Amino acid sequence: MIDILYRSRQKENLDKNVLNFLSSLNEDANILSYDILGTQAHCLMLHKIGILTSNELSQILSSLRKIKFDSKNRGKIQNIRSNELYLSEDIHELIESIVIQDIGLDIGGKMHTGRSRNDQVILDIRMKLRDDIIDICELIINVIKSLVRKSKEHTNTIISLYTHLQQAQIGTVSHYLLSYSFTLLRDLERVSSSFEKNNLSPLGSCAIGGTGIPIDRNYTASLLGFKGLSENSIDATSSRDSLIEYLSFLSIMMSTLSRIAEDFILWSTSEFNYIELSDKYSSTSSVMPQKKNPDPLEIIRSRTSIVMGMLMSSLSLIKNLPSGYHRDLQDLKPLLSKSTTIVKESLSIMKGVIDTFIVNEKNTCNSANKSYGVSLDIAEQIVIKYNIPFRKVHKLMGALVQHAVKNENISLSEIAKEDVNKILKFTKIKIDVDELMYIIKDTTPEKSLLLRNSYGSPNPMQQKDMVNSIEKSLLVYGKVISQRKELLDAAFDNLEKEVILNTIFDNKKKIKH
Ligand code: ARG
C-alpha cells in the first residue's frame, strides 16, 4: 500500500470515506490515456530543457508504457492496474504513484516538475474533447447523409405540412427531411466550432501562476497537436466556459434530435400512420401483443432532458467559483462525459431509425388530399389572374371550405355549381363560376407544389437546390474534420516516435502494440 503521494504537509492519510467521497478515479478512466500522452510530452520537454537525463526519461517512459493503453485509439483504455493498492485521489496521482513505485522516487519523483494537476486535468479534458468533437461531427454528418438519401426517395411523396398540429399546406416528405438536415447543419457548425476553442494547450500554466522551471510550453503543445497555447495561466487553469459552451451546443443539438423524434413518434401513431418504424427500432408491450412502440425515439427525447439538465448543473457549478482551481471543477468531468456518450448514442440510433423507417405514401397523400391544404394555392391563382385583393379571396375560400366541411367533408371540387355561385355572390366576388370551378379542379396537390415555387418551398426544383447546398456543406465539413484528424494523428504518431526513440527497451526489443 502506497501512501497518498501529495501529503507532505499532513501527518495522517485521508480518512477512507473522505477519500472515496472526493476521488475522481472511476470517472478518470475516461482520461487515463490522455493523461499518459500528456505526461509523455511533458517528460520529453523536461529532458529537452535538461531537467531529466536521457536515462531518467527512458525509465519514466518505459514505466508509463507498462500502464497499457491503446495509443491508436486515444479514448480507449485497455487496462489499468487495480487501484486498490494505491490511495490516490485521481488518475494524475495514481499514475505518478505507479511510476514512482516502479522506478523509485529519485527518478519517478521528477516527472511532475514544472506542472500541476490543475493544468494537467484541463489538458486531459481538452484532448478528450477534441476527439469527441471529431466523433460527434462525423455522427451528425452521417445522420444528415441518411436524411438526404431518404429525402431523394421521397421528393414527390405528398404529405400535409402542419402548423399548430393542424393541416396547413401541401408539402413533401423530402421537404421535412431536408428541413431537419438544415437544422443539423447548424448543430454541426456549432459543435465543430468548439474544436478551435479547445485546441489550445493549458499545459505549463501549472497550479495557477506558472513556474520558475524553464519549461517550453510551445514544444509540449506541438507534441500534443495543439494549435497554440492558452495565454493566461489563471484563465487556463480556472476557466471552463469553452467546455460549457460545448455542453450547450450538445443540448441544442439534442433538442433538434428530440424534435425529429417527436415528429416520427406522432407520424407512427395509428391515427397518422405516415411512417412505420423498423422492427429493429421499436419495442412492444409485455401484455398487449399488438403493440409496436417507438421506445428508442422516446429515449432520445428523455435523454435530451438529461443533457439539458447537465448543462444547467455545469452552469450552476461554475457560476460563483472565485478565480483559480477549485475541486468543484472535478464534478464537471462526468457531466461532460455522460453528455458526450448520450449524444453519440442518440445520433447513431437516430441514423438507424431514419435508414430503416418506411413511409406509407398512400396515407400521407390521402390525408393531404382531404386536408383543404390547396386553399391558399387556389386563392393565390385567383389573386394573380383577376387582380382581386387577397383579403377578399381569403373570405371566398374560407366560405367554400366551411361549406365543404358542413357537407360531410366533401372536397372543394365536389361542391355543386349553384352552391359555388351562391358563395361567389355572397362574398361579392365577380369571377365566372365555371372559371373558378376549373381552377379548383385543376389545383391538385401535385399541381400546388409546382405552382408554389418560392425560394425554399417544397417545389421539386427548390428541393434539388437544397440537396445541392446541403451536399456542398457536407463536403466542406467533411474536409475540415478529416484535416483535424490527420493533424492529430500526425502529432500523436510523432509523439509515439519520440517516445520510442527515447526509451531503451529491455533486450533492445521494441514494445509491440
Ligand atoms: N481530480 C482533479 C479534477 O478532476 C484534478 C485536479 C486536482 N487539483 C487539485 N489541486 N486538487 O479536477
Side-chain angles (χ1 to χ4, degrees):
M1 165 109 56
I2 285 193
D3 281 356
I4 289 185
L5 198 64
Y6 307 143
R7 299 182 74 76
S8 305
R9 174 183 174 160
Q10 285 89 341
K11 291 209 178 73
E12 287 180 86
N13 272 344
L14 263 178
D15 177 271
K16 225 180 167 159
N17 282 336
V18 178
L19 178 64
N20 281 338
F21 183 64
L22 56 81
S23 168
S24 62
L25 214 44
N26 285 340
E27 170 61 30
D28 287 348
N30 288 312
I31 53 169
L32 163 70
S33 44
Y34 297 101
D35 202 71
I36 292 178
L37 291 166
T39 302
Q40 288 173 335
H42 183 68
C43 291
L44 284 165
M45 184 276 294
L46 290 178
H47 172 246
K48 183 170 170 260
I49 63 168
I51 298 279
L52 293 177
T53 64
S54 298
N55 177 46
E56 288 167 341
L57 173 65
S58 151
Q59 292 207 41
I60 294 174
L61 292 177
S62 313
S63 182
L64 284 171
R65 274 280 181 207
K66 294 180 202 156
I67 307 165
K68 285 216 184 86
F69 72 102
D70 178 354
S71 70
K72 274 275 163 241
N73 210 341
R74 292 184 289 284
K76 283 195 188 138
I77 303 144
Q78 284 183 341
N79 67 43
I80 181 166
R81 290 180 188 191
S82 146
N83 61 27
E84 289 305 309
L85 291 171
Y86 301 87
L87 294 177
S88 300
E89 290 180 31
D90 54 34
I91 199 70
H92 322 294
E93 187 176 10
L94 178 63
I95 289 176
E96 196 181 340
S97 303
I98 290 172
V99 172
I100 289 175
Q101 200 198 27
D102 189 28
I103 59 176
L105 192 60
D106 283 346
I107 299 175
K110 289 187 172 182
M111 64 190 266
H112 206 60
T113 314
R115 74 169 181 183
S116 150
R117 281 185 298 168
N118 298 351
D119 55 346
Q120 208 180 339
V121 68
I122 186 66
L123 172 75
D124 296 353
I125 293 174
R126 286 194 177 175
M127 283 168 68
K128 172 165 162 38
L129 208 68
R130 289 186 308 190
D131 284 343
D132 286 336
I133 290 172
I134 288 175
D135 290 348
I136 291 176
C137 286
E138 285 180 334
L139 288 164
I140 299 179
I141 288 177
N142 289 342
V143 174
I144 299 176
K145 281 185 179 164
S146 290
L147 284 166
V148 171
R149 211 178 304 126
K150 196 88 173 181
S151 82
K152 284 179 179 165
E153 293 165 22
H154 292 288
T155 321
N156 296 312
T157 308
I158 303 275
I159 190 172
S160 266
L161 306 177
Y162 291 80
T163 63
H164 312 268
L165 263 188
Q166 304 288 325
Q167 290 174 312
Q169 288 181 279
I170 303 293
T172 57
V173 169
S174 55
H175 197 220
Y176 268 116
L177 301 178
L178 295 176
S179 81
Y180 306 143
S181 309
F182 281 104
T183 321
L184 281 169
L185 271 180
R186 287 191 297 279
D187 287 314
L188 174 61
E189 201 242 313
R190 274 187 284 268
V191 177
S192 169
S193 74
S194 276
F195 187 92
E196 301 305 332
K197 285 189 196 103
N198 285 293
N199 197 19
L200 300 172
S201 171
L203 186 60
S205 300
C206 297
I208 180 165
T211 172
I213 308 284
I215 56 168
D216 184 346
R217 289 192 63 190
N218 284 311
Y219 179 58
T220 46
S222 95
L223 281 177
L224 297 170
F226 283 99
K227 197 171 174 195
L229 302 177
S230 311
E231 279 186 49
N232 180 304
S233 60
I234 305 175
D235 178 47
T237 50
S238 28
S239 301
R240 296 292 189 267
D241 56 286
S242 57
L243 308 180
I244 292 179
E245 186 187 51
Y246 162 78
L247 274 184
S248 74
F249 293 162
L250 294 193
S251 299
I252 298 173
M253 206 278 306
M254 286 301 291
S255 79
T256 307
L257 292 192
S258 187
R259 287 184 54 226
I260 300 173
E262 186 63 24
D263 271 349
F264 291 171
I265 290 169
L266 209 59
W267 292 350
S268 65
T269 59
S270 316
E271 287 70 17
F272 274 83
N273 199 7
Y274 285 178
I275 60 171
E276 179 165 1
L277 300 180
S278 151
D279 284 355
K280 285 189 185 153
Y281 286 88
S282 52
S283 299
T284 186
S285 154
S286 62
V287 59
M288 298 167 285
Q290 86 282 9
K291 291 280 274 174
K292 187 164 178 183
N293 296 329
D295 295 32
L297 293 168
E298 291 169 329
I299 290 292
I300 288 180
R301 205 168 49 182
S302 63
R303 299 270 157 90
T304 302
S305 318
I306 292 172
V307 171
M308 289 173 177
M310 291 199 275
L311 168 64
M312 284 306 131
S313 302
S314 68
L315 283 166
S316 337
L317 197 146
I318 60 150
K319 80 170 179 20
N320 43 12
L321 289 184
S323 285
Y325 176 85
H326 303 272
R327 197 59 177 261
D328 312 48
L329 294 174
Q330 175 172 288
D331 278 342
L332 258 183
K333 285 188 298 186
L335 299 175
L336 280 169
S337 59
K338 280 183 197 153
S339 300
T340 299
T341 305
I342 289 178
V343 164
K344 288 183 185 177
E345 288 174 357
S346 303
L347 281 164
S348 73
I349 296 294
M350 185 52 94
K351 178 184 157 28
V353 169
I354 294 163
D355 286 342
T356 55
F357 76 69
I358 289 169
V359 179
N360 295 331
E361 299 182 20
K362 256 195 194 155
N363 286 340
T364 57
C365 188
N366 282 345
S367 161
N369 267 327
K370 287 189 206 141
S371 74
Y372 306 107
V374 289
S375 302
L376 177 57
D377 304 293
I378 296 170
E380 287 178 342
Q381 287 177 84
I382 298 170
V383 165
I384 293 170
K385 199 159 177 204
Y386 301 99
N387 196 17
I388 299 175
F390 174 75
R391 189 51 60 218
K392 282 190 175 175
V393 188
H394 188 275
K395 291 247 156 24
L396 167 68
M397 292 312 299
L400 286 169
V401 171
Q402 196 191 28
H403 180 88
V405 171
K406 268 192 185 160
N407 288 276
E408 292 169 6
N409 292 315
I410 55 171
S411 71
L412 292 176
S413 55
E414 284 168 336
I415 303 177
K417 189 171 172 179
E418 59 266 33
D419 292 332
V420 176
N421 222 351
K422 263 189 220 156
I423 292 168
L424 271 174
K425 285 207 173 110
F426 176 73
T427 50
K428 295 190 185 119
I429 290 183
K430 292 187 182 81
I431 325 177
D432 179 74
V433 65
D434 289 321
E435 281 190 40
L436 175 57
M437 289 189 71
Y438 176 77
I439 294 175
I440 292 174
K441 209 172 216 128
D442 188 48
T443 313
T444 57
E446 289 78 9
K447 174 110 188 255
S448 83
L449 289 173
L450 298 176
L451 290 168
R452 224 174 328 120
N453 64 356
S454 59
Y455 188 83
S457 69
N459 179 285
M461 289 313 286
Q462 294 298 326
Q463 290 190 58
K464 251 191 200 156
D465 289 349
M466 290 178 210
V467 168
N468 284 341
S469 102
I470 293 167
E471 283 177 341
K472 250 189 219 155
S473 301
L474 286 183
L475 271 182
V476 173
Y477 281 109
K479 257 191 205 146
V480 169
I481 288 149
S482 54
Q483 271 167 8
R484 285 174 180 164
K485 259 174 133 174
E486 277 163 26
L487 283 175
L488 287 187
D489 285 346
F492 287 109
D493 282 351
N494 176 56
L495 176 63
E496 178 70 0
K497 263 186 221 141
E498 290 293 325
V499 168
I500 291 171
L501 260 176
N502 286 283
T503 311
I504 303 160
F505 300 108
D506 289 347
N507 306 324
K508 302 235 167 336
K509 264 190 221 149
K510 290 202 170 172
I511 286 178
K512 282 179 195 133
H513 308 290

